[in-house]
Amino acid sequence: MVKIFISYRRSDSEFVADAIYNEMQKHFGQGNVFLDVGDIPYGIDFRDYLDTQIQNHDVILALIGPDWANSMKARLESENDFVRVEIETALKLNKMVVPVLVKKLERLPNLDDLPSSIRELKWRNAIQVRREPDFKEDCNRLAQSILGTLTNSKEVSPTLTALSDLSSQIDKANRFKGAKNTDWRPFVTSITTLGVDGIPFCLVPKGEFHM
């Protein structure tokens, strides 16, 4: 199962982080998306904790809003900047790090004045997630891109491949929402490759249908 780690700065993108978290859970499942460092147990070295969390996640979404770079510069002397530690760790471990531009930010800010440990981020292809009415579609595009990239890697598992196929079918089914189609048929598939044998099911999209 794909596991997603969302890195964000509260002063820069707190509310949109919650919304993206909810959308990613729809694609990857509850328990597979990590959002808030507020869950770090008291008395634990947060550097070790974050290192373990990032090692255990496949993809790190770095949410970047208009104030992200300035906030990073203002904390250059701070050793306990969670956001910087998260990105430094992810890049050091060569994780898939996706810059996610939010709050009308259209391109990555200038990273030349930031520590060399995170300047590598400027070479990672970014995606813009816009507000409604484009928000859900942008999140879906992000999730599909993650699944596509990972399923094309050499270390892909059968479960991940099945998840990608299933997500694609759900996307197709959702396109029927509100449609009036006299020749409509549900998508019928199986989750045998996901470890549950012999259980077929239908993906029935919401909407109005004239059968």
Side-chain angles (χ1 to χ4, degrees), residues 97 99 108 111 118-126:
V97 182
L108 273 173
L111 305 181
I118 63 173
R119 283 204 296 267
E120 179 70 17
L121 191 64
K122 69 182 179 181
W123 300 112
R124 304 298 177 104
N125 196 25

Side-chain angles (χ1 to χ4, degrees), residues 170-186:
I170 291 173
D171 181 52
K172 290 178 181 178
N174 283 335
R175 293 177 188 176
F176 281 99
K177 183 176 181 180
K180 295 182 179 179
N181 190 330
T182 57
D183 193 33
W184 180 83
R185 295 292 183 275

Side-chain angles (χ1 to χ4, degrees), residues 127-187:
I127 180 174
Q128 184 186 29
V129 172
R130 299 160 294 178
R131 60 187 300 177
E132 293 291 8
D134 304 300
F135 178 75
K136 288 184 173 60
E137 179 59 32
D138 287 347
C139 285
N140 179 65
R141 184 161 50 94
L142 172 59
Q144 295 297 328
S145 176
I146 290 171
L147 288 169
T149 299
L150 294 181
T151 52
N152 287 330
S153 71
K154 294 181 180 180
E155 299 180 356
V156 64
S157 67
T159 298
L160 187 56
T161 302
L163 179 63
S164 178
D165 293 341
L166 179 59
S167 180
S168 176
Q169 291 186 64
I170 291 173
D171 181 52
K172 290 178 181 178
N174 283 335
R175 293 177 188 176
F176 281 99
K177 183 176 181 180
K180 295 182 179 179
N181 190 330
T182 57
D183 193 33
W184 180 83
R185 295 292 183 275
F187 291 92

Side-chain angles (χ1 to χ4, degrees), residues 38-206:
D39 294 333
I40 298 178
Y42 297 118
I44 297 296
D45 189 322
F46 74 87
R47 296 169 299 180
D48 294 338
Y49 183 86
L50 291 176
D51 185 83
T52 299
Q53 288 293 328
I54 290 174
Q55 285 193 55
N56 292 335
H57 287 73
D58 304 291
V59 181
I60 285 72
L61 302 183
L63 272 54
I64 300 176
D67 297 325
W68 185 89
N70 289 333
S71 296
M72 190 74 74
K73 292 175 186 177
R75 292 169 171 80
L76 288 179
E77 303 301 322
S78 174
E79 294 184 354
N80 63 343
D81 183 3
F82 290 108
V83 177
R84 189 179 72 244
V85 171
E86 290 165 359
I87 295 175
E88 286 176 342
T89 302
L91 292 173
K92 180 179 66 177
L93 295 173
N94 198 30
K95 289 289 185 176
M96 180 180 175
V97 182
V98 182
V100 179
L101 310 181
V102 298
K103 297 176 71 173
K104 298 184 179 181
L105 193 68
E106 296 182 353
R107 64 183 65 184
L108 273 173
N110 187 345
L111 305 181
D112 291 340
D113 295 333
L114 298 180
S116 59
S117 56
I118 63 173
R119 283 204 296 267
E120 179 70 17
L121 191 64
K122 69 182 179 181
W123 300 112
R124 304 298 177 104
N125 196 25
I127 180 174
Q128 184 186 29
V129 172
R130 299 160 294 178
R131 60 187 300 177
E132 293 291 8
D134 304 300
F135 178 75
K136 288 184 173 60
E137 179 59 32
D138 287 347
C139 285
N140 179 65
R141 184 161 50 94
L142 172 59
Q144 295 297 328
S145 176
I146 290 171
L147 288 169
T149 299
L150 294 181
T151 52
N152 287 330
S153 71
K154 294 181 180 180
E155 299 180 356
V156 64
S157 67
T159 298
L160 187 56
T161 302
L163 179 63
S164 178
D165 293 341
L166 179 59
S167 180
S168 176
Q169 291 186 64
I170 291 173
D171 181 52
K172 290 178 181 178
N174 283 335
R175 293 177 188 176
F176 281 99
K177 183 176 181 180
K180 295 182 179 179
N181 190 330
T182 57
D183 193 33
W184 180 83
R185 295 292 183 275
F187 291 92
V188 181
T189 186
S190 170
I191 51 176
T192 300
T193 52
L194 293 178
V196 183
D197 295 328
I199 303 179
F201 65 95
C202 296
L203 299 177
V204 181
K206 296 179 181 179

Side-chain angles (χ1 to χ4, degrees), residues 15-32:
F15 295 112
V16 69
D18 291 336
I20 291 176
Y21 171 76
N22 290 333
E23 288 300 312
M24 292 301 105
Q25 281 194 318
K26 294 177 183 177
H27 288 276
F28 301 105
Q30 292 186 356
N32 294 313

